[in-house]
Structure formats: structure tokens, C-alpha cells
Amino acid sequence: MKDVKTQLMQLADLMQAERSNMLRYACYRLGDPEEAADVLQDVYISVHTQIYNDDSVKILNLKSYLFRSLSNHCIDRLQNRSKRIVLSIDTVHDIADVSEEYSEADYVRVTKMLALLPEEQAEVIRLRIYGGKSFVDIAAILALPLSTVKSRFIYGLNKLRKYMNEESTVSHIKHLQP
Amino acid sequence: MTCKVFNEKIADLFDVNVNAQDKAEFERHMEQCSECRTAYEELCAVYAMLQPSAKTQHELDEISTNVTFAKSPTKKRKIWWAVAASVIFLLGVFVGLNNFFTSSATAASQNSIALFDKAITYVQNVGSFQMEVFVRTNPEENFFDIHPDKDFIKSRVQLMRQADTVLYRIEREVEHGRVIVCDGKAQYMFVKNGTRYVKGNLGSDFLGMYGNLLYPDRLLQMQKFAIELAGDNTVLRSETDSTIVVVVEGTEWDDNLQEIYATGHRGRNHVTIENVFSKPDGLLRSVKYWLHKDGNKILVLYTGAIQYNPALSRKAITALPDEYSHPATEGGVYDMTKVSEIEDEELAQLQKESPVQTAARLLAAFTSGRAEDVKENLAGYVGNIDKINKRMKGCKFRELRELKVEDYVGVYIVYTLEYPDGATSQMHLALRNDNPRHVWLLDGGL
Ligand SMILES: [Zn+2]
């Protein structure tokens, strides 16, 4: 059993080292950089609390664990969003006041685009491209065989390619591309 | 290398590090095999399209490293968010984090711990209670945030236990305030004067920090731990003829991300919580919560007298808000507990649609009087099918375009509606796809 203080220091070091990968992952997951920064804090707090409260907890690979926790926190956020905002629509906005010009940031587009894929494929793509993780790392994070991770990645990319080529989704893709 | 092997291993070309020898083998194969080369190039095109833009990367770099970022308006939002999070004391994380100062409890605080224990047991077993809560926040906001610069907003909190179920009601006593009701099976959030409501399951986080006011035993438990575990938190205990007052003053963790990154440690906030217990029963009667900020001690939350076992009825707790205009049908419900039943294939088709495509399909159905054909997209409006058909049948629609509205999670599709008599008007549909199935659902505009 590792000393709690040592683990907490390792956690702080890891957060420091992985912050830009984690931030990018969360940003492309949530489509919002500010919220991504908030999520990083949530992860830090929750893992910190976990280590402190239960020092027998076996976090074998803290690095994998951080990303797993990050992914879970993002899912929570996405689910909570609908709960918090729903009631605003009929009262708050007057369409006439809203400018037509709206340029979408690429993370918003990507978030929508990856939403077209089965979540298991989207997750591998996010971890690889935005989380900066290798396939071996991703296999550890998701507790999956390496070959599965790789094939999900390729399936996902291929599926996106297909969407792009399909005539029926032309307007959709127009929407997705810069 | 064969085509088969190529296809099996092609992912390796997209790994973080690519083995040079492997790469050479792939390239040799692609020189001879145009099919595999095309496949690879297409993957590369998608891969390239997914890469973060320089602008985004720059933005993220700023967030993660630039300390002067604090001056931007977003940071301001964050400060208040941070203050809300500083009420983490109420949320229960504070204590567990306050580990660097662990020391054994003093004899003085032992007395208070016994008092907390008793009050905790009582609250956990009480049949019902109610209290008024005053929090500095925005009147029309949800139950998550505290804003020390705002006025106090009064809410009424009521809870009763019936057999194994817990019923509760939290009501903001302001115009357009929100009301949360739990009937033991589901939670509902209403807006007074509104016509729509949100329904969620018991696990939905409607309550925010009010969750711990609803279960005061949690609040006490946390303070108990704070006294037991953190030696730098002070406990003051005073008595009158009828009350025992325990004031816990201490540090809690600040929420400044920059500092966490820079030092690996979190900063602290200074808070004070006053608990008033009655004598001789030892019941918690009221709570006050202060935030110490820039040399000021700001009262941000207090409760009126907590009443135990008042006569509450199921009917009163689960009643619709007075000013709430209940829609004639179920059309006003946004039911998060319902999972629509859609076949996988059909679902895949729906997911592929752009919001404009979805809107076009919906409008085509509405104007031909067949709204029932698109019920999987109607969400809360599924109860309004007849009304929709009646109103829109025979109309024509055109000029659909998408409009992103700030602060709204979905999109608006604006369109021109032409009535059978030739009159036209500018209309919109609100659609959102932040549901587990990523399907565009009708969320307003009709
Ligand atoms: Zn080949």
C-alpha cells in the first residue's frame, strides 16, 4: 500500500504533465473549452478525494485512471446539461435580436461529428487525437484488447469518411466542414 | 505485405509513434497497390479534418498556462462559480481534502462531536421537517449557485418520509422562481408562471447544493469530520439557557485552477458555519454560512427555524405550483426518464440527419396533417399531435435555415410558414440532440 501523501503528490505531478492532453480531450468532448477546464478540476478533486478517503483503493495505473475519470466526468456533464437548461427556451430568447452570423468553433463541429459514431468508436478517436494517447495507453484506459482499440479507431474513421461521401448527408457535412 | 495484413495493421500508421521499419513496409505495399493507397489516403483526410485547429489549440494553451487569463470576462464567471464551489463545504468535499492538517480532536471539540452525532441520528429518523432557506443568488436561477453580491432569495424546503420513500418540495418564493418536487418516484422541476416542466429520475441532480439542506444530517456529518480531522479548523461552543451554538470556522479549498497547476495544491477560502442546537433535546434548529472574502465576512446562506415533524401531506408536497399553468395535454413535459423506442436502423437514420433535415421532415409531416409519423422526434410534444395537425395542415413552409442561439444547448431552425389563405409568418422550431441517442428532438417553437 502506497503512502497517501506520495500518491497525492504523484497525482499533482500527473495533472500538471497531462493537463494539456486532458484539456484538449475534454474540450472536444464537451465542445466548450471553459467547461473543459472546469471538468479538469472536478477530476482532480474527485481523484484526490478518492485517494485520500480510501488509501487501500488500488489505483494501479494512475495515468489510465485519470483519463477514465475524465471521461466519466464529461459524460456526467453532458447528461446534466439537459437537466439544467431545458426550461429557458420559451421565455428567454427573442430571435430577432440574435445575429445571424455565427461561426462555429472546430470543437463544436467535431463534437457533433463524433456524435454520429457509435460512442465506443468515438471514444477511441477522441483519446487518440485529442487525449494524445497511444493505442497501448487507450487499451489500458478502456480495459480493452489492443486489437479492439485499433479496429474501433479505423472503423470510426471509415464511417466518418462514408458520411462525408454520402449524397444524402451533403448538407450535414457542409455544416461540419469549415 | 499483403492487403490483408495491410488492413489489419493500418491503425499503426495513426499511432503516436510509428515504427520507421513498419512504415517503410506500408509504403512499399502502397506503391504497388492503389486500392490500399486510396484507402489510406481517405483515412488520412478524415484524420486531418479531426485535428484541432491552430486557433483552438492556442485557446486551450492560454487556458492551461496563461495566468493573466483571469482578467477575461469568462474568468469572472468562474470566480463566482468558484464561490459556488466554495460552498463545497455544503457539498461535502471540503473535509476529505483537508488532509494535510490532520490532528486528533481536542477535548473541547469532542463535546461538539457528540452533539453532532445526536443531531444526525435524529434528523435521519425524523418523519418530516421544513425550513425556510435564504441564499444570495439570482432569483430565477437553478439551485446550484451562490452569488455573494446578490440579495437573499427565500426558498421553502419541505421533506417527509413515507415508508421507504422520501417526498420533498423546494420552492423559490419569487416570481418565475423554480420549484422542485419529488413524489418518491421521480423529480420534477417547474417554473412558476410557466407551462413546461422537467421530469427526471431520482438520481437527477436537480437539487444542487440544496441536496445537503434537504438532508441536514449530511451537513452535520461534514462538519463533524471537519472538527475531527482538520486541526486548523476552530470550533467555538457557547451556551445559553435554551441553546447550544457551535461555530465551525475553517479553511476550505479554493477552486483556482491556475494555482492547482502551478503548485499542485489548491488555495483556500475561509468560511464560518454556525449551528444552533436546542437544549436539552440537542436538535439542529438553524444554520448560517459565511464566506470570508477580501477581509469581509459575508453571510451567504441562512435558514429560518427548522421545524421537525410538522404536519405535512403528500398532497401539499406534490401539488403543482399555484401560478403554474398546467397544459391541457402532456405536451409540456420534458421527460428525461423516458427512453424512446426506436429500432436501431431507424435510429441510425435519425442520427445522421442535420437539424435542418430533421426540421424539414417534421414540417412536411405537420403540414400534411401527419404529425404522428414523426413522433420519435416530438419528445414532449408527442401529446400535441392533434393540435399540431389541426393548426398546420395545408400550410406550406420554406426558407429553412439554422440559427445558433447563445446559451441554448440546441439550435433554432427559422422558416417561413405560408397559411392556406396565403398569409405568411416567420416561425421557428427549437431542436436539441443532447440526449443519449443524439437524435434531434423538438424542444420548442410550436
Ligand atoms: Zn493492398
Side-chain angles (χ1 to χ4, degrees):
Chain A
M1 193 169 65
K2 258 191 226 162
D3 169 41
V4 170
K5 269 188 189 168
T6 313
Q7 278 195 43
L8 291 178
M9 277 161 66
Q10 281 175 349
L11 172 63
D13 287 349
L14 256 183
M15 283 299 291
Q16 173 80 4
E18 290 285 324
R19 68 176 194 273
S20 92
N21 282 339
M22 293 175 79
L23 190 63
R24 193 168 47 232
Y25 169 91
C27 175
Y28 282 85
R29 182 81 215 251
L30 300 168
D32 179 349
E34 292 300 325
E35 195 173 7
D38 287 351
V39 165
L40 255 62
Q41 271 171 95
D42 295 348
V43 170
Y44 180 73
I45 296 168
S46 86
V47 178
H48 194 292
T49 310
Q50 246 166 305
I51 293 175
Y52 177 67
N53 281 347
D54 187 4
D55 53 6
S56 67
V57 77
K58 288 199 185 74
I59 301 177
L60 289 174
N61 183 336
L62 190 54
K63 212 171 178 176
S64 300
Y65 190 77
L66 274 186
F67 267 89
R68 222 173 300 151
S69 175
L70 178 64
S71 172
N72 288 335
H73 275 89
C74 287
I75 292 169
D76 287 351
R77 289 254 171 180
L78 290 170
Q79 290 179 344
N80 277 329
R81 258 186 207 168
S82 57
K83 301 175 194 171
R84 288 207 192 190
I85 312 175
V86 178
L87 289 161
S88 63
I89 41 171
D90 283 336
T91 47
V92 179
H93 305 295
D94 183 353
I95 293 199
D97 294 343
V98 180
S99 160
E100 282 176 45
E101 284 178 32
Y102 174 75
S103 70
E104 207 170 41
D106 71 322
Y107 42 79
V108 179
R109 258 181 295 113
V110 165
T111 308
K112 284 185 188 168
M113 189 144 83
L114 291 180
L116 296 169
L117 297 180
E119 179 48 31
E120 58 197 36
Q121 292 169 14
E123 182 68 351
V124 172
I125 290 174
R126 279 190 292 257
L127 286 167
R128 177 59 275 284
I129 297 181
Y130 310 112
K133 300 284 116 189
S134 69
F135 290 122
V136 171
D137 289 340
I138 297 170
I141 291 166
L142 300 176
L144 287 171
L146 182 57
S147 58
T148 308
V149 168
K150 289 180 181 175
S151 57
R152 284 183 184 177
F153 180 80
I154 295 297
Y155 284 149
L157 289 192
N158 272 322
K159 207 165 283 180
L160 287 176
R161 177 179 61 87
K162 246 185 245 159
Y163 285 137
M164 290 166 64
N165 293 343
E166 269 171 33
E167 282 239 80
S168 64
T169 51
V170 165
S171 74
H172 196 143
I173 296 306
K174 245 188 224 156
H175 177 62
L176 294 172
Q177 281 177 333
Chain B
M1 186 180 271
T2 62
C3 292
K4 187 165 177 287
V5 174
F6 185 95
N7 280 315
E8 278 165 12
K9 297 181 75 178
I10 193 165
D12 292 350
L13 288 173
F14 297 92
D15 211 341
V16 175
N17 295 308
V18 183
N19 178 307
Q21 205 182 330
D22 287 352
K23 198 174 176 201
E25 275 188 44
F26 277 109
E27 272 164 7
R28 258 201 310 280
H29 180 77
M30 283 190 281
E31 275 166 26
Q32 297 151 6
C33 177
S34 65
E35 208 173 307
C36 286
R37 191 177 59 228
T38 310
Y40 172 68
E41 282 168 356
E42 287 182 335
L43 286 174
C44 284
V46 180
Y47 186 73
M49 201 179 67
L50 289 169
Q51 295 305 310
S53 68
K55 185 166 170 271
T56 300
Q57 191 54 56
H58 181 72
E59 191 180 350
L60 291 173
D61 288 346
E62 293 241 313
I63 292 175
S64 103
T65 58
N66 187 353
V67 283
T68 59
F69 188 68
K71 284 174 189 149
S72 79
T74 7
K75 184 63 188 175
K76 196 174 162 205
R77 176 185 76 85
K78 243 187 171 144
I79 289 168
W80 293 123
W81 195 87
V83 171
S86 77
V87 180
I88 258 172
F89 202 115
L90 293 174
L91 293 170
V93 185
F94 160 59
V95 176
L97 291 172
N98 210 342
N99 56 307
F100 293 107
F101 298 90
T102 306
S103 67
S104 57
T106 61
S109 57
Q110 284 294 1
N111 286 333
S112 306
I113 289 170
L115 193 61
F116 280 126
D117 275 336
K118 189 174 172 189
I120 288 165
T121 313
Y122 188 83
V123 176
Q124 281 171 343
N125 292 304
V126 74
S128 66
F129 71 86
Q130 69 177 356
M131 64 179 152
E132 286 174 348
V133 180
F134 302 82
V135 181
R136 289 192 190 274
T137 188
N138 288 319
E140 291 170 30
E141 222 166 66
N142 52 40
F143 293 88
F144 287 83
D145 299 319
I146 281 185
H147 300 269
D149 54 338
K150 300 285 183 201
D151 292 333
F152 284 101
I153 302 299
K154 177 175 162 188
S155 303
R156 179 180 299 279
V157 176
Q158 295 174 313
L159 177 143
M160 73 184 283
R161 295 193 171 89
Q162 265 190 347
D164 288 341
T165 59
V166 178
L167 315 177
Y168 51 78
R169 178 187 194 87
I170 296 181
E171 183 156 5
R172 281 257 164 92
E173 300 199 341
V174 292
E175 213 186 334
H176 301 301
R178 298 193 183 194
V179 182
I180 294 173
V181 168
C182 176
D183 63 3
K185 294 187 220 99
Q187 294 186 91
Y188 303 81
M189 182 157 65
F190 302 94
V191 174
K192 291 189 205 172
N193 304 330
T195 55
R196 293 167 62 74
Y197 65 93
V198 192
K199 180 181 176 187
N201 57 31
L202 294 176
S204 304
D205 189 12
F206 287 3
L207 296 168
M209 63 158 192
Y210 280 62
N212 283 343
L213 292 169
L214 209 47
Y215 301 97
D217 45 313
R218 290 188 201 159
L219 182 63
L220 294 169
Q221 194 82 51
M222 285 180 271
Q223 293 182 77
K224 186 189 142 194
F225 286 142
I227 299 169
E228 280 179 332
L229 296 175
D232 67 335
N233 294 326
T234 61
V235 187
L236 287 172
R237 186 185 159 118
S238 58
E239 297 192 20
T240 68
D241 287 347
S242 58
T243 62
I244 304 169
V245 180
V246 178
V247 179
V248 180
E249 183 175 335
T251 48
E252 50 138 37
W253 297 90
D254 197 347
D255 186 84
N256 189 330
L257 192 63
Q258 303 305 337
E259 190 169 340
I260 295 174
Y261 291 146
T263 64
H265 297 292
R266 316 188 77 205
R268 284 128 206 274
N269 274 331
H270 206 74
V271 299
T272 300
I273 299 186
E274 179 195 273
N275 310 273
V276 178
F277 301 86
S278 55
K279 263 186 183 173
D281 56 13
L283 301 184
L284 179 68
R285 292 300 177 181
S286 66
V287 177
K288 283 182 182 170
Y289 181 93
W290 288 267
L291 197 65
H292 301 245
K293 208 93 185 160
D294 307 323
N296 297 316
K297 186 176 169 187
I298 310 162
L299 181 66
V300 291
L301 181 153
Y302 65 95
T303 72
I306 302 176
Q307 295 167 263
Y308 293 97
N309 293 320
L312 297 177
S313 72
R314 182 186 188 95
K315 207 176 151 198
I317 286 192
T318 58
L320 281 174
D322 289 344
E323 304 89 335
Y324 177 80
S325 27
H326 191 46
T329 66
E330 296 224 325
V333 190
Y334 186 87
D335 190 341
M336 299 191 307
T337 63
K338 266 197 197 133
V339 180
S340 58
E341 287 149 22
I342 311 177
E343 295 297 323
D344 281 357
E345 230 169 88
E346 195 187 344
L347 178 64
Q349 283 301 317
L350 293 180
Q351 288 174 333
K352 258 192 274 181
E353 281 184 332
S354 69
V356 171
Q357 287 172 330
T358 303
R361 198 164 50 76
L362 295 185
L363 290 171
F366 296 166
T367 52
S368 57
R370 302 200 50 84
E372 60 273 19
D373 290 355
V374 293
K375 64 176 187 305
E376 61 279 4
N377 293 89
L378 294 183
Y381 288 89
V382 78
N384 293 15
I385 285 177
D386 291 342
K387 219 190 276 178
I388 295 170
N389 284 336
K390 202 171 154 196
R391 207 171 60 199
M392 295 186 70
K393 192 174 177 185
C395 294
K396 290 177 192 157
F397 62 95
R398 57 175 185 263
E399 291 156 12
L400 269 64
R401 66 191 166 81
E402 183 177 332
L403 189 63
K404 179 71 192 166
V405 179
E406 210 185 330
D407 291 336
Y408 178 52
V409 66
V411 296
Y412 279 13
I413 305 297
V414 193
Y415 65 97
T416 306
L417 187 71
E418 186 185 323
Y419 296 96
D421 65 3
T424 62
S425 70
Q426 195 67 24
M427 310 280 283
H428 79 279
L429 295 178
L431 298 172
R432 57 193 294 165
N433 74 341
D434 57 332
N435 48 74
R437 295 181 174 234
H438 302 300
V439 172
W440 292 103
L441 299 179
L442 187 62
D443 192 32
L446 284 177

